[in-house]
Amino acid sequence: MSFGPARPLEQLYATRSSIKWRRYPADVLPVFVAEMDFDVEPAVLDRVAETLRNSDTGYLDSAGPLAPAFARFAHDSWGWQVDTDWVHLATDVTVGVVEALRLALPEAGGRVVLTPPVYPPFFEMIEEADAIAVTVPLLEHEGWALDLAGIEAAFAAGVDALLLCNPQNPTGRCHSLAALEALARLAAAYDVFVVSDEVHAPLAHPGTVFTPFAPVARAAGARAVTVTSASKAWNLAGLKCAVVVAAEERSAALLSLLPEELAARTSILGLHANVAALSCLDWRDGLLDLLVANVRLLEAELAVHAPSVTAIRPDAGYLVWLDFRATGLGDDPARVLIDEGRVALNSGLAFGEPGRGFARLNLACDPSTVVEAVRRIAATVDARAARASAPVLARAV
């Protein structure tokens, strides 16, 4: 089944009950949380409906059919040879990350490297694992690249793990093969465990090469696991199912110690939805075409209506990192845009200190929503600029 258009905004407000549509009043345009405005692919809906019709609503104890389905997808997409025995279930990506860290870290006081700006729940996950975050910011001047020298310095000072985001959220950057190989060599040399969140990987844009970390880690002799799901690429977050995949033998042995209850807490409906989604590539490809078009539309609209706002063009996904530092909206432009512009973006402050003056925008929507979001952003920026210049004009008079 090919990809279809988004529902009208009025219908989304009327029919959906998720955070995106209930957190703010109806006059606020929601372009924040990572949820799509599109309908779920029909084949996925059919698989979930069939599971319900069969009253197949019990507990899970393994990845079952999802292990070979993910292995096929990983091989066909990226040439990654996945051992199906190394594929484990988790309720979602965040739970998978926390449980993997708990296995790899000391009981208390473990140290985990983060590379901000980065997905805000990463900070919470490290706290949940009773660990301490060590931040090594991305290099903005090098296109939001990993700071390998900074990472090595952190490793040398003593850390237990690194939490990698690839493709990176919020910048949409797919880390290069060279950078990942260098990171793997460092992880092997300092025996640092790497947990790689690759949930946005199926949405690498055409012309972009996404490199999974696991085979790179294995080649370098580094310990690593990958946590991922069909949740972002096929809009299935609420169905609660992810996989945790070992990169090599030592990490496979570690994951064998995951709590048995972890699989039981994963949704059987989510498992079947993931299995179906991973074969719905025509739908995914249609989505990617729209996302790329929306990125270009956003850039064009900003250039005309809000040229002081800079969009960081993503390599993957439907989230765009916007630089508001030249607009006069302050350290937290998202707050101003909600209060004055009635448009909701994610606050850059939540992504760590490098997010000051930034905000994240969701482009998994109809093109008309992109245009309206820019209209509200531009009106807010213009109004702030007018207020800032008013006293100067008054004195001149």
Side-chain angles (χ1 to χ4, degrees):
M1 179 70 69
S2 60
F3 179 77
R7 295 187 186 189
L9 284 174
E10 311 79 53
Q11 193 177 118
L12 291 167
Y13 278 115
T15 60
R16 293 195 177 176
S17 56
S18 61
I19 289 172
K20 187 172 186 179
W21 305 100
R22 292 294 178 263
R23 174 163 290 180
Y24 299 109
D27 68 324
V28 174
L29 184 69
V31 285
F32 65 114
V33 67
E35 174 190 328
M36 299 188 206
D37 292 0
F38 311 115
D39 287 346
V40 173
E41 210 281 344
V44 176
L45 295 176
D46 290 345
R47 180 68 174 260
V48 172
E50 180 185 8
T51 304
L52 285 170
R53 281 194 297 268
N54 291 334
S55 297
D56 188 10
T57 53
Y59 296 107
L60 294 166
D61 67 357
S62 73
L66 182 52
F70 178 76
R72 284 192 299 271
F73 181 82
H75 175 267
D76 294 346
S77 299
W78 311 303
W80 175 13
Q81 301 285 346
V82 174
D83 187 326
T84 56
D85 291 336
W86 294 357
V87 179
H88 299 263
L89 288 179
T91 315
D92 57 28
V93 168
T94 61
V95 171
V97 168
V98 170
E99 294 298 337
L101 288 175
R102 281 177 171 157
L103 290 176
L105 298 177
E107 283 192 16
R111 292 163 58 82
V112 182
V113 172
L114 292 183
T115 57
V118 74
Y119 182 48
F122 274 16
F123 296 94
E124 299 169 14
M125 293 178 217
I126 290 174
E127 287 185 11
E128 192 174 344
D130 204 11
I132 299 165
V134 177
T135 57
V136 181
L138 298 175
L139 298 174
E140 179 184 355
H141 65 281
E142 293 187 12
W144 303 96
L146 293 170
D147 180 358
L148 293 166
I151 289 171
E152 181 169 16
F155 285 6
V159 299
D160 303 286
L162 178 142
L163 185 45
L164 180 68
C165 196
N166 183 38
Q168 213 275 337
N169 177 3
T171 67
R173 189 65 62 241
C174 287
H175 297 304
S176 70
L177 173 59
L180 294 176
E181 287 177 334
L183 176 62
R185 288 193 296 269
L186 290 173
Y190 290 94
D191 194 27
V192 172
F193 181 66
V194 178
V195 180
S196 185
D197 172 356
E198 299 182 3
V199 73
H200 294 277
L203 293 181
H205 294 179
T208 295
V209 176
F210 168 76
T211 302
F213 187 66
V216 177
R218 186 173 188 176
R223 296 182 297 134
V225 299
T226 297
V227 190
T228 190
S229 172
S231 59
K232 288 293 184 283
W234 285 271
N235 209 33
L236 306 174
L239 290 178
K240 293 298 178 186
C241 179
V243 291
V244 187
V245 186
E248 31 60 52
E249 290 80 359
R250 287 184 294 166
S251 295
L254 190 71
L255 293 186
S256 69
L257 302 176
L258 285 168
E260 291 183 7
E261 277 296 305
L262 191 57
R265 291 171 183 167
T266 302
S267 168
I268 196 168
L269 300 180
L271 180 142
H272 286 286
N274 270 253
V275 170
L278 291 173
S279 65
C280 295
L281 302 187
D282 287 346
W283 187 92
R284 189 276 311 269
D285 292 346
L287 168 64
L288 282 171
D289 290 342
L290 182 138
L291 295 180
V292 170
N294 273 357
V295 171
R296 305 299 185 268
L297 175 63
L298 173 69
E299 293 172 338
E301 290 291 307
L302 288 174
V304 173
H305 302 291
S308 60
V309 181
T310 302
I312 311 305
R313 181 179 289 187
D315 297 325
Y318 51 81
L319 305 171
V320 179
W321 194 227
L322 296 179
D323 184 352
F324 287 86
R325 288 174 295 183
T327 64
L329 296 191
D331 287 344
D332 192 7
R335 183 70 264 166
V336 179
L337 290 168
I338 292 171
D339 292 342
E340 300 179 16
R342 311 309 283 166
V343 55
L345 284 70
N346 289 98
S347 170
L349 297 179
F351 295 81
E353 181 62 27
R356 193 173 296 276
F358 288 81
R360 193 190 74 178
L361 184 143
N362 179 344
L363 288 181
C365 57
D366 190 82
S368 63
T369 301
V370 178
V371 172
E372 178 62 16
V374 173
R375 187 192 71 78
R376 298 187 188 201
I377 289 169
T380 306
V381 171
D382 291 346
R384 274 294 179 104
R387 289 202 297 272
S389 62
V392 176
L393 293 175
R395 285 196 298 271
V397 172

